[in-house]
Amino acid sequence: MAEKKEQEKPLAHRIDIDRNESFAVEFMKPRHRNCVKCCGCTTAILLILVTTVIILMVTIFHLKDPVLIFNMSKIEGLDVLKEAKAPSGLNLRSEAEVSIKNPNVVSFKFNNTTTIVYYDGFVIGEAVNPSGQAKARRTLRMNVLMYIMVDKILAVPRLRDDLVAKTLPFSTYTRITGKVKLANVIQKRFVVTLNCTVDVSVSGQTIEDKNCKTQYSY
């Protein structure tokens, strides 16, 4: 009888081990499920955030090109060109307006704006506007005062023919550089150039016709 009892002890021990292992497995199952659920929720949240950022970048936060507009109103004193001998060193005043339209949801900060006036390929005037910024989805208008050099105009060979036609074909070149920055994460640099040809009436000293072309570089 003693031998039978001794043989039963290892069997009881094995049953205890099996019960412990079964209990451990049952205990790990809920933890495994919770881990899977947690990982699934985290992945879903990350996907939603990434999708939202992509949608915002493509729609609301999509950085668009600023629009540059140049309007020259008149040039005062053109009658002096009809005189047999115009005063040396005389400068004519020209008023113009440079507009910067910013279609973005953040401000467009730009450097100095340069405008050059040409007559038959010769530089006859120049103006520089200070740096600034165009607010989000707003149009910034800047008044430009340029001085046209009479000596430079008189040196152009075609001037006599244009005076007979009572129209001076000028051209202007305006260049602006700036950047748009979104939350210090998305940043884009713009270089906008605007080339215009304008026909100036000698008698009326006003702009009769204008044609402009815009170019962008980044």
Side-chain angles (χ1 to χ4, degrees), residues 181-201:
K181 184 183 293 186
L182 181 61
N184 293 323
V185 176
I186 304 174
Q187 179 175 314
K188 189 173 183 180
R189 181 176 179 269
F190 296 94
V191 179
V192 188
T193 57
L194 183 67
N195 293 281
C196 298
T197 57
V198 295
D199 292 335
V200 183
S201 171

Side-chain angles (χ1 to χ4, degrees), residues 203-216:
S203 57
Q205 306 182 60
T206 56
I207 307 302
E208 292 185 338
D209 191 21
K210 182 185 69 171
N211 184 25
C212 296
K213 294 182 179 180
T214 306
Q215 292 182 336
Y216 297 93

Side-chain angles (χ1 to χ4, degrees), residues 110-129:
F110 56 88
N111 302 321
N112 293 345
T113 306
T114 303
T115 300
I116 304 175
V117 183
Y118 298 90
Y119 176 39
D120 199 28
F122 296 91
V123 177
I124 60 172
E126 184 176 358
V128 177
N129 259 30

Side-chain angles (χ1 to χ4, degrees), residues 14-218:
R14 284 196 298 270
I15 293 174
D16 292 339
I17 293 175
D18 292 340
R19 288 178 178 176
N20 290 337
E21 290 180 352
S22 176
F23 176 76
V25 171
E26 293 297 328
F27 176 74
M28 290 296 293
K29 284 183 179 179
R31 295 185 62 186
H32 179 69
R33 293 195 195 98
N34 292 336
C35 183
V36 172
K37 290 180 180 179
C38 182
C39 293
C41 292
T42 303
T43 303
I45 293 173
L46 288 176
L47 289 175
I48 293 173
L49 290 176
V50 171
T51 304
T52 303
V53 170
I54 293 174
I55 293 174
L56 290 175
M57 290 178 63
V58 173
T59 56
I60 299 176
F61 295 153
H62 177 61
L63 301 181
K64 302 176 182 178
D65 296 327
V67 179
L68 186 61
I69 303 172
F70 178 82
N71 290 315
M72 181 185 289
S73 57
K74 61 180 180 179
I75 300 177
E76 299 176 355
L78 283 177
D79 290 338
V80 73
L81 299 176
K82 301 177 183 179
E83 299 179 4
K85 187 177 180 181
S88 178
L90 179 64
N91 292 330
L92 306 180
R93 285 166 52 94
S94 174
E95 295 180 359
E97 181 185 83
V98 176
S99 298
I100 303 174
K101 183 180 180 180
N102 179 22
N104 295 293
V105 296
V106 290
S107 298
F108 171 62
K109 296 182 179 180
F110 56 88
N111 302 321
N112 293 345
T113 306
T114 303
T115 300
I116 304 175
V117 183
Y118 298 90
Y119 176 39
D120 199 28
F122 296 91
V123 177
I124 60 172
E126 184 176 358
V128 177
N129 259 30
S131 59
Q133 68 175 355
K135 295 182 179 180
R137 293 178 177 174
R138 294 290 186 273
T139 299
L140 176 65
R141 292 177 174 83
M142 301 179 293
N143 293 322
V144 179
L145 180 60
M146 295 180 293
Y147 291 95
I148 308 299
M149 295 172 283
V150 174
D151 292 342
K152 297 290 185 179
I153 298 178
L154 295 175
V156 177
R158 64 174 293 173
L159 175 62
R160 185 180 297 274
D161 295 335
D162 290 337
L163 288 177
V164 173
K166 298 182 180 180
T167 302
L168 299 178
F170 289 167
S171 61
T172 64
Y173 170 84
T174 304
R175 184 177 186 271
I176 185 171
T177 61
K179 62 183 177 181
V180 173
K181 184 183 293 186
L182 181 61
N184 293 323
V185 176
I186 304 174
Q187 179 175 314
K188 189 173 183 180
R189 181 176 179 269
F190 296 94
V191 179
V192 188
T193 57
L194 183 67
N195 293 281
C196 298
T197 57
V198 295
D199 292 335
V200 183
S201 171
V202 178
S203 57
Q205 306 182 60
T206 56
I207 307 302
E208 292 185 338
D209 191 21
K210 182 185 69 171
N211 184 25
C212 296
K213 294 182 179 180
T214 306
Q215 292 182 336
Y216 297 93
S217 56
Y218 309 99

